[in-house]
Every structure is written in C-alpha cells, then in structure tokens.
Amino acid sequence: MMAACETVRGFWDRLLGRCFRNFPCLSDRARRSSLGLKAVLVLLHVVFVGVLYLLDTDLIRKTREMPWYMGAYLLLVLATLVQYFITAFSSPGYVIDAMAAGSEMHTTHVNSSRNSMQHASRNGTLISSLNNSQLGRNNPRMNSSYWLKLVMELYPPGSSSRSWTCLYCNLIQPPRAKHCHDCNKCVLQFDHHCVWLGTCIGKGNHCRFWWYIFAETIVCIWSGVLYISFLRSDLMNVWWKIMIVVVLFIGLSLCFIFLLLLLLFHTFLVLTNQTTYELVRRRRIPYLRGIPERVRPFSKGICRNLYNFCCSFDSIYNLEAVPTLEELEERARSYTCTDILTCRCC
C-alpha cells in the first residue's frame, strides 16, 4: 500500500514538474490561486446561463422566436467576461512606472532645450551634448532627485519626506499612492486589491472596474428575470429541477445584493473623487488627518469628477497635488441658497 502511494506521489510530482516547466506562470502559488479564481468565475457564468438552457426547454423556443432578446442577453454575458479579463490584466498604475515616465519626459525636455541652444554648434560639440544627456538618462541618482523634487511640489509645505517614503519599496510615494502587499508594488491612487481580479484597483483601471461591476449587475438582474419566469412556468413539475433552480436563484440573489452595494459604494467614491483606502483609513494618512471628515479634499465637483473619471484623456501618470489650505477652507464652507442655485457642488 505504501509503495503504491509513493508511486502515485512520484507520478504526480513529475506531472506537476512538467506542467510548471511548460507553463512557468503556474509555478507561483499566488498566480495559481489567481488563475483558479478566474476559472471559477468563468465557470459560474457558464453554470448560471447553461442551467437555464438545459432545464428550460421553453427558453430555446423563445430564442428561436425572439433571437434578438436572447442574443442580447448572451452578448451581454460575453461582454461582461471580456470586460472582466480586460480589467484583470490592465495595470492599475505603479509608482515605479510613473517615475520612469517622469524621468523620460524630463530627459526629453532637457535634450530638446540643449538641441535648440546648440543648433548652430559643430557636429562634434552636438554629439558630445547628446552623449551627456544620454548619460543623465541612465543616471539613477539624477532620476531620483528629479522625482523627489516633483513629489515635493505635490505635498503641503513643511511636510516630512519620511512619510512619503515606502518602507518596502524605498520609493518616494506621491499623494494618494500606497504599497500593496499582494502585488508588492506601490500603486497610484490605490483603492484596494481585488482578489477575484487578481490585481490592484488604482488610477489606471478604476474606471474599467466600475464598468465591469455595472455590467455584472445588469447580468444578474437579467438572469434573475429569466429564473423567475422559469419558476413560474408549467415546466417546474419535477422536484430536482425545482431544487437546482431555487439554489441557483438564491446564489444569484446574493451575488446581486453584493454587486449592487459594491456598485453604489464605488459610484459614491467616483462622485466625490475618493478611494476605498482614503475613506476607510483616513486617520492613518498623514496629509488627511487634520481635514474634517465631511470635507472631500480631492473633489472638484460632481461633473468634473465624472469627467476626469470617465472621459479624461490625460495620462495615468499625471499626479494630483494635495489641496492648499485655502482650497480646503472653501470646500469646508457650508452651502447657501446661492451655492445651490449656482450648482457649486458640480
């Protein structure tokens, strides 16, 4: 018996080793867990939709009579899965990438300035100037000093640089950035780490995340309508069919409640230009401690917040400064009738 177990274990280890060699991404336990959750989520969509077609024979007839109706439903499910994978594999915007982008812009600006100043110089002098610029691009000390100067302008005067430095990455964090322990990177405008997506939600993919949970909520509502119509039909005359449909409908209802609350919560965050981390851990963020809780320091009005979230074509590496004391006092001022008439909140 022990010999048989050892043989099976050896075969299993060899099989896993061959699998890890062919697919290196599976050798990481965290990545395996992320891929497993993605497979589970896709399987849930297939089960909830497939059971309807397997048990509800009337649904197939409706599909033939009204192909546009069920075609739109299946297209929505497919679009939701596509949006899920787009969000899962999109970058939330990392501080290290923002540093590289800022250094590249700085180097490009320096090169263009030197080229314009030495346009009339001899070729040898011009090549020497360009070589010096190239050396500056590859100098990490020059890049880090430029990044420190850039970040210092985003914080209020007198702030301590110790609170800006990440204890894990040793990087200078701009406002609203935070280190994610799951990704082991500092994320711009960090919101949270989503286990189901296997990635952080930050400045680069928060909009995609909102549209994903919006589409998922619509799928739950549409699926719930189909399940209710199936439960009320004359085909529900077998007890095991009733049990399967009822269990799935209860699970679908719980998913809908969770998604609806999540959608409303993130809609509130979008309208007020906040993140989950800033809302939950506000007292732990040094530059937000002295600000009253009713004041949304980064809010620019509902309309401007919506535009920046959905329609802005600015780079995700455009950093946001902490508001000045005058701006915070203006936002803390109580609303008057004039403010309401002039749509100050927008």
Side-chain angles (χ1 to χ4, degrees):
M1 186 66 180
M2 293 294 294
C5 291
E6 291 295 333
T7 304
V8 172
R9 182 177 299 176
F11 173 76
W12 179 251
D13 291 339
R14 289 193 299 272
L15 182 63
L16 286 180
R18 183 177 299 177
C19 182
F20 293 159
R21 285 193 299 272
N22 295 331
F23 303 97
C25 61
L26 297 178
S27 59
D28 186 6
R29 180 177 298 179
R31 188 169 294 182
R32 286 203 306 271
S33 176
S34 176
L35 292 175
L37 287 174
K38 289 180 174 63
V40 169
L41 190 135
V42 173
L43 183 62
L44 285 175
H45 285 78
V46 173
V47 168
F48 279 113
V49 177
V51 165
L52 285 172
Y53 278 92
L54 289 175
L55 300 182
D56 191 358
T57 56
D58 193 45
L59 188 61
I60 301 177
R61 181 184 58 83
K62 291 179 180 178
T63 304
R64 293 171 182 173
E65 294 177 354
M66 298 184 298
W68 59 269
Y69 181 77
M70 294 309 300
Y73 171 69
L74 295 176
L75 187 62
L76 177 62
V77 174
L78 180 62
T80 302
L81 290 176
V82 171
Q83 182 66 22
Y84 167 77
F85 284 104
I86 290 175
T87 307
F89 291 106
S90 61
S91 172
Y94 297 112
V95 173
I96 188 70
D97 296 331
M99 289 180 63
S103 299
E104 185 176 354
M105 291 177 60
H106 175 64
T107 305
T108 304
H109 176 70
V110 171
N111 286 341
S112 61
S113 300
R114 290 185 178 182
N115 289 339
S116 61
M117 291 175 61
Q118 300 183 1
H119 181 70
S121 300
R122 292 179 299 174
N123 292 336
T125 308
L126 184 60
I127 293 173
S128 176
S129 174
L130 291 177
N131 287 336
N132 290 335
S133 299
Q134 189 68 27
L135 289 173
R137 178 187 299 180
N138 297 327
N139 189 348
R141 182 176 298 177
M142 182 180 295
N143 293 340
S144 60
S145 62
Y146 168 74
W147 177 254
L148 177 60
K149 180 181 177 181
L150 179 65
V151 172
M152 284 180 61
E153 297 175 354
L154 303 175
Y155 284 98
S159 301
S160 174
S161 60
R162 289 185 178 181
S163 59
W164 312 339
T165 307
C166 177
L167 300 177
Y168 305 94
C169 301
N170 200 27
L171 296 177
I172 305 298
Q173 294 179 339
R176 313 192 74 180
K178 181 189 176 296
H179 182 86
C180 175
H181 297 282
D182 296 283
C183 299
N184 199 25
K185 290 182 179 180
C186 290
V187 180
L188 296 170
Q189 203 165 317
F190 175 83
D191 188 88
H192 71 286
H193 182 89
C194 183
V195 178
W196 285 98
L197 289 169
T199 186
C200 280
I201 304 302
K203 187 175 182 179
N205 60 357
H206 198 178
C207 183
R208 295 187 182 97
F209 176 74
W210 188 93
W211 281 110
Y212 163 66
I213 57 178
F214 174 78
E216 200 74 82
T217 306
I218 301 300
V219 168
C220 282
I221 295 174
W222 203 332
S223 301
V225 171
L226 294 176
Y227 270 89
I228 291 174
S229 62
F230 183 36
L231 287 172
R232 297 177 62 182
S233 66
D234 298 332
L235 299 174
M236 296 298 293
N237 51 8
V238 184
W239 67 270
W240 60 269
K241 286 186 178 182
I242 299 175
M243 288 293 297
I244 292 175
V245 174
V246 168
V247 169
L248 289 178
F249 181 72
I250 292 174
L252 189 66
S253 301
L254 294 176
C255 291
F256 168 71
I257 294 172
F258 171 76
L259 287 169
L260 181 62
L261 293 177
L262 187 65
L263 180 65
L264 293 175
F265 175 70
H266 277 274
T267 302
F268 168 74
L269 293 178
V270 170
L271 295 178
T272 56
N273 194 14
Q274 296 185 94
T275 64
T276 302
Y277 176 71
E278 291 171 347
L279 187 65
V280 176
R281 302 288 187 178
R282 183 163 181 163
R283 295 183 179 179
R284 295 181 58 180
I285 303 175
Y287 53 86
L288 296 181
R289 286 175 186 166
I291 302 175
E293 292 189 3
R294 64 185 182 87
V295 178
R296 317 299 180 196
F298 297 102
S299 178
K300 301 175 180 62
I302 295 176
C303 296
R304 182 65 62 85
N305 293 338
L306 279 175
Y307 175 80
N308 292 337
F309 185 79
C310 300
C311 309
S312 178
F313 294 98
D314 293 339
S315 172
I316 63 172
Y317 303 126
N318 285 347
L319 306 178
E320 192 171 1
V322 178
T324 61
L325 184 61
E326 291 76 11
E327 292 175 336
L328 292 175
E329 290 177 351
E330 175 64 22
R331 292 169 188 174
R333 184 169 55 86
S334 301
Y335 279 88
T336 62
C337 296
T338 306
D339 294 329
I340 297 174
L341 292 175
T342 56
C343 298
R344 175 189 157 196
C345 63
C346 299

